[in-house]
């Protein structure tokens, strides 16, 4: 990540769970920077067996009202970013002899979100990208899958947008609307999709590749407007 505070917080969370981590500060949209990190890992003798790409840029605009340059930046970051990460770390995954790649998509990339045109389009592209990579990398015994999570933001009683970037109006109000339209009537904590991600890159999923696993509390299980 390019955010030192985010890196520090992530490292602390991993340490609190008795895990070990090494963080690198870099622009995840910079292919050269990613390639250098991959080279450092290889020189350290560390075997890379899994790669999880998590790119998140959001622009709250419709197609009609969008700024075209902002639309392009969102699509480039969310869709081309995973390609850059994959190409940077692919040599290490091939060297490992067997590995797994997981891309983070979104339910908005499956059904579309009118409020998030560029985000929906970019996450929608993750689906065929995952299938294409699963086909191309099968020769290296590298599996490629994706997950499509729904909302993962916890709300509280303060009804404030503090700490939530990009939400129009009240974040709590928006998430409550999403929860009301969700069969399980709740948001999905990050641990829910993290467990799904852990499964898909593990040997327990050794027969799964080219799949998109929806983790959405049932959001896509019903026809919109019928709840």
């Amino acid at each position: 990540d390019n955010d030192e505070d985010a890196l520090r917080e992530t490292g602390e969370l991993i340490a609190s769970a008795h895990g070990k981590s090494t963080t690198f500060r870099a622009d995840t949209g910079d292919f050269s920077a990613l390639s250098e990190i991959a080279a450092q890992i290889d020189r350290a003798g560390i075997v890379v067996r899994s790669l999880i790409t998590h790119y998140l840029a959001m622009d709250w605009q419709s197609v009609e009202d969008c700024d075209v340059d902002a639309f392009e930046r969102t699509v480039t970051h969310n869709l081309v970013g995973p390609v850059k990460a994959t190409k940077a770390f692919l040599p290490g995954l091939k060297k490992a002899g067997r590995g797994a790649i997981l891309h983070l998509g979104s339910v908005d990339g499956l059904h579309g979100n009118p409020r998030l045109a560029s985000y929906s389009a970019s996450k929608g592209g993750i689906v065929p990208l995952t299938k294409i990579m699963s086909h191309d990398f099968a020769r290296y015994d590298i599996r490629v899958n994706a997950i499509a999570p729904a909302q993962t933001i916890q709300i509280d009683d303060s009804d404030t947008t503090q700490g939530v970037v990009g939400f129009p109006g009240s974040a709590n109000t928006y998430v409550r609307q999403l929860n009301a339209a969700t069969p399980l009537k709740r948001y999905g904590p990050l641990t829910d999709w993290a467990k799904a991600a852990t499964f898909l890159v593990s040997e327990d999923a050794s027969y799964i590749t080219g799949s998109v696993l929806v983790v959405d509390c049932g959001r896509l299980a019903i026809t919109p407007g019928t709840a």
Side-chain angles (χ1 to χ4, degrees):
D1 203 304
N2 207 23
D3 186 335
E4 283 192 351
D5 291 336
L7 290 175
R8 182 173 57 256
E9 179 182 354
T10 301
E12 291 172 352
L13 286 171
I14 293 171
S16 69
H18 308 291
K20 297 181 180 179
S21 65
T22 300
T23 59
F24 298 88
R25 181 175 181 179
D27 179 355
T28 56
D30 185 337
F31 176 65
S32 297
L34 293 174
S35 297
E36 176 54 31
I37 291 172
Q40 290 181 43
I41 292 172
D42 183 62
R43 289 193 295 268
I46 299 172
V47 178
V48 177
R49 298 194 182 278
S50 62
L51 171 69
I52 299 177
T53 73
H54 182 183
Y55 284 76
L56 180 62
M58 304 182 80
D59 183 25
W60 290 83
Q61 298 289 330
S62 66
V63 172
E64 180 179 5
D65 298 330
C66 76
D67 176 87
V68 174
D69 291 336
F71 192 107
E72 182 177 12
R73 284 194 299 271
T74 298
V75 173
T76 298
H77 183 78
N78 291 345
L79 185 55
V80 181
V83 174
K84 293 178 179 179
T86 298
K87 285 184 66 67
F89 286 92
L90 184 59
L93 289 164
K94 291 167 62 176
K95 187 176 180 179
R98 187 170 187 172
I101 298 172
L102 180 78
H103 300 306
L104 185 72
S106 170
V107 291
D108 292 332
L110 299 178
H111 277 195
N113 185 333
R115 305 188 191 190
L116 294 165
S118 57
Y119 176 77
S120 298
S122 62
K123 291 300 183 178
I126 292 293
V127 176
L129 180 66
T130 297
K131 296 181 181 297
I132 291 166
M133 286 186 178
S134 70
H135 172 272
D136 289 351
F137 301 158
R139 73 191 80 172
Y140 308 126
D141 205 7
I142 296 173
R143 298 180 299 104
V144 186
N145 293 292
I147 58 174
Q151 70 272 19
T152 57
I153 296 175
Q154 184 173 5
I155 60 175
D156 53 43
D157 295 329
S158 63
D159 207 42
T160 176
T161 57
Q162 183 177 1
V164 180
V165 178
F167 280 88
S170 168
N172 283 352
T173 298
Y174 180 70
V175 175
R176 286 193 183 99
Q177 291 172 354
L178 293 179
N179 290 348
T182 299
L184 292 184
K185 305 300 181 185
R186 65 177 177 86
Y187 75 99
L190 292 174
T191 51
D192 279 6
W193 71 256
K195 290 175 183 177
T198 301
F199 164 68
L200 286 174
V201 298
S202 74
E203 283 299 304
D204 289 338
S206 62
Y207 200 58
I208 303 174
T209 191
S211 295
V212 179
L213 177 61
V214 177
V215 186
D216 70 343
C217 291
R219 275 268 302 283
L220 301 189
I222 58 175
T223 301
T226 61

